[in-house]
């Protein structure tokens, strides 16, 4: 969540824990970093850090340090400083399980800069291959805030797998896939980090059908991978794989097509089970899926594979791919595919004005149920959401044209 919006936007960063001058310098530095001008951002960051308690400025500075080790050290110092600040502000029991604050972090504005420090530590520890530190930091974040306002549950299964903790990864996935949790969004105890012994029992068909309609694909792929690592080609692992392929085929498609692992996270706005979330999952985990035995297992499941074989989008063609990623996507909307240049050329007059909401927000709803939008609308929606997330004013016509043509 962008700290320039919502309650922090109105009351100041951390509920006003830093001066307006420090906040103004921080915002200037962040804007310059976003424009890839870090050298011009440094003086503003130094001014923002003069008060000593601007944790967000320290986070930004950490990503500008010359080495990863220096970045991690700076964030570790910020974590200690932030912890001391919160004890002073919220009381000596604010980090204790029996206190009034644990499980409510993020809901308390004072805690937000500290949580952003932890999130940055997760990222840098992962990039330095300290997977245990990365996982344990997420576990602490979920202890403090089981509701996971920062989306770290999408990471934890992958990070646990990287840390060699397949049992914990499957336990975590199964906790978040409990029917009541999926139905209501209410988090499991300690954000799923109690780590009980996972179940090997296959799911009933009604449960499979329910998850296939609405479930978190990253966590379901964690279930598939960890089940296979623990028990090999078992029914439970195949169930998870098939469900994951239905919910977010972008993940399995790129694995089976042996596309290069993404080099960066996707910072664009995203919907549940979208291409953007697929890129982040693959950035974290794709190398594990490319192990020869795991890849061969995923490729051998004909039903899962059928979810990623695409049909030519020209209405009068209907040709199905013979192999994964055989057809090329439209370069504009990335949502339609063609078996060859001739079909793309013939379909252009139909596709250019075609009304079609992007698939990710409504993956199981027929496209004719909603008002439709043009091919370019997909990009307009993303641009609108990106500007909103950065706290910028979007063009007055941006959202209307994106959604209603």
């Amino acid at each position: 969540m962008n700290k320039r919006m919502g309650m922090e936007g109105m009351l100041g960063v951390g509920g006003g824990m830093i001066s307006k001058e420090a906040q103004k310098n921080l915002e200037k530095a962040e804007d310059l970093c976003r424009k890839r001008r870090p050298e011009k951002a440094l003086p503003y960051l130094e001014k923002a850090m003069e008060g000593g308690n601007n944790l967000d400025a320290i986070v930004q500075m950490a990503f500008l340090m010359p080495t990863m080790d220096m970045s991690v050290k700076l964030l570790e110092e910020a974590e200690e400083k932030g912890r001391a600040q919160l004890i002073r502000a919220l009381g000596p029991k604010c980090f204790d399980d029996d206190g009034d604050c644990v499980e409510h972090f993020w809901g308390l504005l004072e805690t937000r800069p500290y949580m952003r420090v932890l999130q940055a530590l997760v990222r840098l520890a992962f990039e330095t291959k300290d997977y245990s530190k990365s996982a344990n930091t997420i576990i602490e974040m979920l202890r403090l805030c089981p509701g996971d306002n920062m989306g770290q549950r999408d990471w934890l299964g992958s990070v646990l797998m990287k840390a060699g903790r397949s049992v914990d990864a499957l336990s975590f996935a199964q906790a978040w896939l409990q029917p009541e949790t999926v139905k209501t969004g209410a988090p499991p105890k300690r954000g799923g980090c109690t780590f009980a012994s996972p179940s090997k029992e296959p799911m009933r068909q009604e449960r499979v059908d329910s998850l296939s309609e609405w479930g978190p694909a990253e966590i379901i792929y964690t279930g598939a991978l960890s089940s296979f690592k623990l028990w090999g080609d078992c029914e439970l692992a195949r169930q998870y794989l098939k469900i994951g392929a239905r919910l977010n085929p972008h993940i399995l498609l790129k694995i089976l097509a042996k596309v290069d692992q993404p080099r960066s996270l996707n910072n664009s706005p995203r919907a549940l089970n979208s291409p953007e979330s697929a890129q982040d999952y693959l950035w974290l985990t794709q190398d594990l899926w490319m192990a020869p035995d795991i890849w061969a297992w995923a490729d051998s499941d004909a039903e899962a594979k059928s979810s990623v074989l695409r049909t030519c989008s020209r209405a009068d063609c209907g040709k199905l791919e013979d192999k994964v990623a055989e057809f090329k996507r439209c370069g504009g909307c990335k949502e339609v595919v063609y078996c060859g240049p001739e079909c793309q050329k013939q379909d252009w007059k139909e596709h250019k004005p075609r009304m079609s909401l992007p698939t990710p927000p409504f993956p199981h709803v027929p496209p004719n149920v909603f008002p439709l939008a043009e091919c370019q609308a997909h990009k307009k929606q993303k641009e609108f959401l990106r500007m909103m997330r950065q706290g910028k004013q979007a063009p007055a016509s941006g959202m209307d044209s994106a959604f209603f043509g």
Side-chain angles (χ1 to χ4, degrees):
M1 183 182 297
N2 192 299
K3 56 183 171 288
R4 301 188 194 181
M5 303 174 68
M7 292 302 294
E8 283 189 291
M10 293 185 286
L11 301 177
V13 172
M17 293 183 73
I18 64 172
S19 68
K20 290 184 178 179
E21 184 65 22
Q23 183 166 339
K24 187 181 298 183
N25 283 311
L26 172 62
E27 290 175 357
K28 288 180 180 177
E30 289 174 336
D31 289 339
L32 287 166
C33 288
R34 199 173 289 118
K35 295 175 182 176
R36 300 179 184 275
R37 297 164 67 185
E39 71 289 345
K40 293 188 178 294
L42 284 172
Y44 292 106
L45 277 179
E46 289 169 355
K47 289 179 182 178
M49 293 170 65
E50 285 176 359
N53 66 339
N54 193 338
L55 299 182
D56 288 290
I58 299 175
V59 169
Q60 189 68 63
M61 182 67 82
F63 283 97
L64 300 182
M65 300 300 285
T67 69
M68 285 283 194
D69 288 343
M70 293 174 68
S71 299
V72 171
K73 184 178 180 181
L74 190 59
L75 288 176
E76 289 173 341
E77 292 172 357
E79 193 275 335
E80 291 180 8
K81 184 177 294 187
R83 191 178 181 91
Q85 286 176 5
L86 290 178
I87 289 172
R88 287 195 298 270
L90 301 175
K93 291 180 68 67
C94 68
F95 285 93
D96 295 349
D97 286 341
D98 60 349
D100 295 330
C101 298
V102 169
E103 297 191 353
H104 304 292
F105 272 55
W106 196 261
L108 304 168
L109 290 184
E110 296 91 341
T111 69
R112 293 188 182 185
Y114 177 78
M115 295 295 281
R116 288 190 284 263
V117 170
L118 295 186
Q119 186 178 46
L121 264 174
V122 168
R123 167 80 179 269
L124 287 180
F126 184 87
E127 293 202 45
T128 56
K129 302 187 186 307
D130 190 347
Y131 302 125
S132 292
K133 183 180 184 66
S134 185
N136 289 333
T137 304
I138 298 176
I139 291 166
E140 173 66 0
M141 292 178 72
L142 291 173
R143 180 183 78 90
L144 298 174
C145 183
D148 188 34
N149 295 73
M150 306 183 82
Q152 292 299 143
R153 68 177 176 271
D154 294 338
W155 279 51
L156 183 54
S158 297
V159 181
L160 287 168
M161 296 291 294
K162 284 292 190 77
R165 296 170 61 177
S166 298
V167 172
D168 289 344
L170 183 54
S171 171
F172 173 78
Q174 291 182 343
W176 278 97
L177 295 176
Q178 289 298 312
E180 190 66 18
T181 295
V182 175
K183 180 180 178 181
T184 66
K189 186 177 180 181
R190 294 181 76 97
C193 297
T194 54
F195 301 135
S197 297
S199 172
K200 187 183 177 181
E201 287 298 311
M203 292 177 282
R204 295 180 179 180
Q205 189 58 45
E206 59 265 29
R207 183 73 191 126
V208 171
D209 294 341
S210 176
L211 282 177
S212 298
E213 287 299 314
W214 192 257
E218 297 95 333
I219 292 178
I220 290 168
Y221 276 102
T222 290
L225 183 56
S226 56
S227 297
F228 180 79
K229 276 185 163 289
L230 291 173
W231 302 306
D233 184 14
C234 62
E235 185 178 351
L236 181 64
R238 286 192 176 270
Q239 285 178 325
Y240 283 135
L241 182 65
K242 293 179 179 73
I243 296 168
R246 291 173 201 156
L247 289 170
N248 198 332
H250 305 281
I251 292 174
L252 187 61
L253 186 153
K254 295 192 175 185
I255 291 168
L256 296 185
K258 296 186 176 180
V259 173
D260 289 341
Q261 187 167 5
R263 296 182 179 180
S264 63
L265 294 168
N266 190 313
N267 293 318
S268 299
R270 75 273 317 281
L272 180 70
N273 301 332
S274 62
E276 293 80 15
S277 59
Q279 177 174 328
D280 288 357
Y281 176 81
L282 291 167
W283 182 81
L284 290 162
T285 323
Q286 185 174 344
D287 55 328
L288 296 180
W289 283 94
M290 302 315 293
D293 60 331
I294 296 172
W295 187 92
W297 167 69
D299 188 58
S300 71
D301 193 305
E303 185 176 339
K305 200 170 179 179
S306 69
S307 296
V308 302
L309 294 176
R310 300 170 297 183
T311 302
C312 180
S313 297
R314 186 172 72 83
D316 294 334
C317 177
K319 183 178 179 181
L320 182 68
E321 287 181 318
D322 292 322
K323 59 182 181 180
V324 173
E326 180 182 5
F327 296 167
K328 303 301 181 185
R329 295 186 298 173
C330 166
C333 67
K334 312 291 186 185
E335 293 298 314
V336 300
V337 297
Y338 297 104
C339 62
E342 189 59 33
C343 273
Q344 183 178 18
K345 182 178 179 180
Q346 290 182 34
D347 198 50
W348 178 241
K349 288 184 180 180
E350 294 293 326
H351 178 54
K352 185 178 180 180
R354 183 178 298 157
M355 310 295 280
S356 171
L357 266 178
T359 302
F362 310 104
H364 304 290
V365 180
N368 61 349
V369 169
F370 290 96
L372 304 170
E374 298 178 3
C375 170
Q376 294 300 314
H378 197 180
K379 292 192 288 186
K380 289 182 181 179
Q381 289 179 44
K382 285 187 178 181
E383 178 63 15
F384 177 87
L385 292 171
R386 182 187 67 80
M387 294 179 73
M388 288 291 289
R389 192 168 70 170
Q390 292 177 0
K392 298 179 180 179
Q393 184 175 357
S397 61
M399 198 62 168
D400 290 345
S401 62
F403 273 99
F404 303 112

